[in-house]
Amino acid sequence: MPKDTLSITDNRTGQSYEVPVADGTIKAMDLRQVRVSEDDFGLMTYDPAFMNTAACRSAITYIDGDRGILRYRGYPIEELADRASFLEVAYLLSEGELPTQAQLDKWTSDIRYHTYVHTNIIRFLEGFRYDAHPMGMLLGVVGALSTFYPDAKEMHDPANRYIQRVRLMAKIPTLAAFVFRQTRGLPYQFPRNDLDYIGNYVNMTFSIGGQHKPNPVLQRALEILLILHADHEQNCSTSAVRAVGSSGVDPFSAISAGIAALYGPLHGGANEAVLRMLDEIGDKSSIPAFIEKVKSGEGRLMGFGHRVYKSYDPRAKLIKRVADQVFAETGLNPKLEIAVELERIALSDEYFIKRKLYPNVDFYSGLIYQAMGYPTEYFTVLFALGRMPGWLAQWEEMLQDKEQKIARPRQIYTGEDQREFVEIGKRK
Ligand code: CMC
């Protein structure tokens, strides 16, 4: 009769141990009993970049990277992208179920009530240098919000946490739009609470002289993109939110850490990097030379590859469809031709096939954002707007998880052994 255990023999001592296997994992702490002597600390696992370590239990997002499956709370991403609104998805992620009409009405109205930010935030934004990167500004002002809501520290009260989650959902479009206006030197547009979530954001971003004619196709396209970005289980920025949040800090500070992680070019910053790469390639005829450069280790094909997906990223498939709808409205983006050709060549090249490198969510999203009128350095702000519900749901789940404590990895010390202090005149 097979047992759900793992037998380990320590060849250093000849001793055997049996540790339970549950959910396809062993507990790293069960290895601590494996020791060579009484004063030995015990065996640890070494896993830089968490390549094979589950750091939490989560009921939010399911990914099967080999089969290209992504589900939020059990619902396939394809169905949510086709049939749900962004606020319904945000509710689903954080509450675990799709809202009833009454629940959605309350959620929408709670968020609408909190869309304004303290006008001192504008003074912070005005203090940035003229060429400040939008993500640097966004992480700064989201972190700064914690000083306006000192009650956000009362995290043991679920009702208080709900209000903070609502505040972050409500204020991120306002802040993202303010950042946009700041980069353009345009006067700030305040929230219009007669508009819906997406419509209000787009209006605050693009309105000139108080006027903006909404394009429903582009607004729904943006909404789908936000849904596709809403959560992606334990990625770099979500892990940052969880790790920073585990210290007991308020959610504005924890989310600001998530925005910082997202900023990096290997994570959310990849959508911006893709556009720069397409600019660098410039012309279809330069693609083969560019691919050769990547294969020889000079840079990466941005928007390709993923730690988890080893087949086509399901979000990238949906984004390609959105691209067709958007370009039918806005006219073709000439860089699309280069991207399509780049993808065709890469997908038939042995280097990319062998390493299972496929387009990810960032490969086509930047082209769509550009067609919608967003500048390249702003793309990752849109990713942050989309990811907010995921960060908040994961933060909430982490706080409710009795198994969680302050995140504190171990290390293997590789430095000097104890040595004596050397006076400055005697140092070599
Ligand atoms: N172009 C060329 N080679 C690549 C690429 C790429 N985009 N990605 C991975 N490789 C190669 C890599 O050089 C390595 O080759 P070798 O085995 O010969 O050393 C192999 O594939 C495995 O790469 P890795 O770096 O060990 O894989 P990882 O799981 O640590 O990295 C990744 C995942 C997403 C950071 C990486 O694929 C990458 O840098 N992609 C480009 C940046 C990008 O598009 N990021 C967005 C990710 S999706 C959205 C998000 O997370 O925000």
Side-chain angles (χ1 to χ4, degrees):
M1 168 81 174
K3 284 203 284 178
D4 286 335
T5 61
L6 181 74
S7 296
I8 302 166
T9 302
D10 186 346
N11 294 323
R12 300 170 302 174
T13 58
Q15 250 201 290
S16 289
Y17 305 82
E18 194 170 326
V19 297
V21 176
D23 303 314
T25 60
I26 59 163
K27 285 197 173 152
M29 279 304 282
D30 284 343
L31 297 178
R32 192 65 76 73
Q33 59 181 314
V34 181
R35 300 167 179 209
V36 287
S37 62
E38 263 309 295
D39 59 354
D40 182 5
F41 181 76
L43 201 64
M44 294 193 298
T45 55
Y46 177 58
D47 189 13
F50 303 108
M51 298 286 287
N52 196 37
T53 295
C56 63
R57 294 174 188 280
S58 181
I60 301 173
T61 289
Y62 174 79
I63 301 178
D64 179 333
D66 291 327
R67 293 194 292 154
I69 294 175
L70 170 61
R71 296 183 199 130
Y72 298 159
R73 301 279 189 188
Y75 294 102
I77 190 67
E78 293 77 8
E79 283 187 37
L80 294 169
D82 265 357
R83 298 163 65 183
S85 70
F86 180 61
L87 284 190
E88 270 179 292
V89 169
Y91 184 96
L92 170 71
L93 287 170
S94 113
E95 307 301 319
E97 295 296 337
L98 284 168
T100 61
Q101 188 62 54
Q103 288 166 332
L104 183 61
D105 289 348
K106 177 175 184 311
W107 175 236
T108 307
S109 131
D110 287 350
I111 289 175
R112 185 170 280 152
Y113 186 81
H114 287 279
T115 49
Y116 270 65
V117 294
H118 195 292
T119 48
N120 282 4
I121 289 286
I122 293 176
R123 305 235 291 273
F124 296 154
L125 284 168
E126 285 169 351
F128 283 107
R129 230 173 71 147
Y130 68 96
D131 58 353
H133 194 283
M135 282 297 277
M137 291 195 268
L138 188 71
L139 75 92
V141 289
V142 169
L145 276 188
S146 71
T147 65
F148 294 86
Y149 302 108
D151 62 315
K153 288 189 176 64
E154 308 303 324
M155 283 168 10
H156 300 293
D157 172 11
N160 184 300
R161 291 203 301 272
Y162 175 79
I163 293 293
Q164 310 315 328
R165 295 205 308 273
V166 164
R167 280 184 175 143
L168 273 153
M169 279 299 298
K171 293 179 198 309
I172 190 78
T174 311
L175 294 175
F178 279 13
V179 162
F180 182 95
R181 309 290 287 196
Q182 176 66 20
T183 56
R184 293 273 153 127
L186 288 166
Y188 299 103
Q189 286 291 321
F190 291 99
R192 265 192 44 199
N193 289 343
D194 57 317
L195 299 175
D196 67 16
Y197 193 83
I198 307 287
N200 177 43
Y201 164 69
V202 172
N203 186 67
M204 285 188 289
T205 307
F206 292 117
S207 169
I208 296 290
Q211 303 284 324
H212 173 70
K213 193 161 169 281
N215 178 323
V217 175
L218 297 191
Q219 287 201 8
R220 179 60 193 162
L222 179 61
E223 181 157 35
I224 293 173
L225 285 173
L226 299 188
I227 292 171
L228 298 180
H229 285 88
D231 193 51
H232 214 235
E233 50 119 309
Q234 307 313 315
N235 54 84
C236 179
S237 58
T238 301
S239 302
V241 170
R242 278 181 172 260
V244 173
S246 76
S247 73
V249 77
D250 67 88
F252 298 97
S253 304
I255 297 287
S256 153
I259 297 174
L262 190 71
Y263 190 177
L266 297 187
H267 191 8
N271 53 19
E272 178 180 341
V274 169
L275 258 281
R276 298 200 194 287
M277 174 185 78
L278 295 176
D279 279 339
E280 184 195 324
I281 295 172
D283 187 83
K284 262 165 63 174
S285 63
S286 312
I287 294 177
F290 181 80
I291 295 267
E292 284 314 309
K293 254 174 59 180
V294 168
K295 283 161 60 178
S296 67
E298 275 182 66
R300 290 197 160 191
L301 180 49
M302 300 312 284
F304 257 68
H306 199 277
R307 172 65 58 79
V308 180
Y309 293 121
K310 299 302 167 197
S311 66
Y312 215 102
D313 182 335
R315 301 168 300 172
K317 267 191 208 153
L318 293 163
I319 284 182
K320 251 178 133 174
R321 217 174 62 198
V322 173
D324 292 337
Q325 292 158 4
V326 168
F327 295 134
E329 285 294 303
T330 62
L332 264 195
N333 184 331
K335 290 189 200 97
L336 179 67
E337 230 193 321
I338 301 178
V340 169
E341 182 63 4
L342 196 55
E343 177 186 349
R344 192 190 64 76
I345 295 182
L347 290 183
S348 55
D349 189 296
E350 192 49 33
Y351 174 96
F352 296 91
I353 296 171
K354 205 173 114 207
R355 291 170 179 78
K356 299 188 174 163
L357 300 170
Y358 292 88
N360 59 47
V361 70
D362 290 317
F363 193 66
Y364 286 104
S365 59
L367 286 168
I368 299 176
Y369 294 144
Q370 190 170 63
M372 287 174 169
Y374 298 99
T376 308
E377 66 279 9
Y378 187 79
F379 296 166
T380 316
V381 170
L382 293 159
F383 195 151
L385 196 59
R387 185 54 55 87
M388 183 59 77
W391 288 330
L392 293 170
Q394 300 269 353
W395 173 74
E396 177 66 31
E397 185 179 63
M398 182 268 301
L399 290 175
Q400 286 190 32
D401 183 347
K402 300 255 180 313
E403 284 187 301
Q404 293 296 331
K405 289 169 180 270
I406 184 167
R408 183 21 173 122
R410 295 276 173 181
Q411 64 166 13
I412 300 172
Y413 177 68
T414 59
E416 299 284 345
D417 210 345
Q418 180 174 333
R419 47 184 177 163
E420 267 182 37
F421 184 78
V422 182
E423 292 303 333
I424 193 157
K426 295 187 183 153
R427 291 176 207 162
K428 294 188 201 115

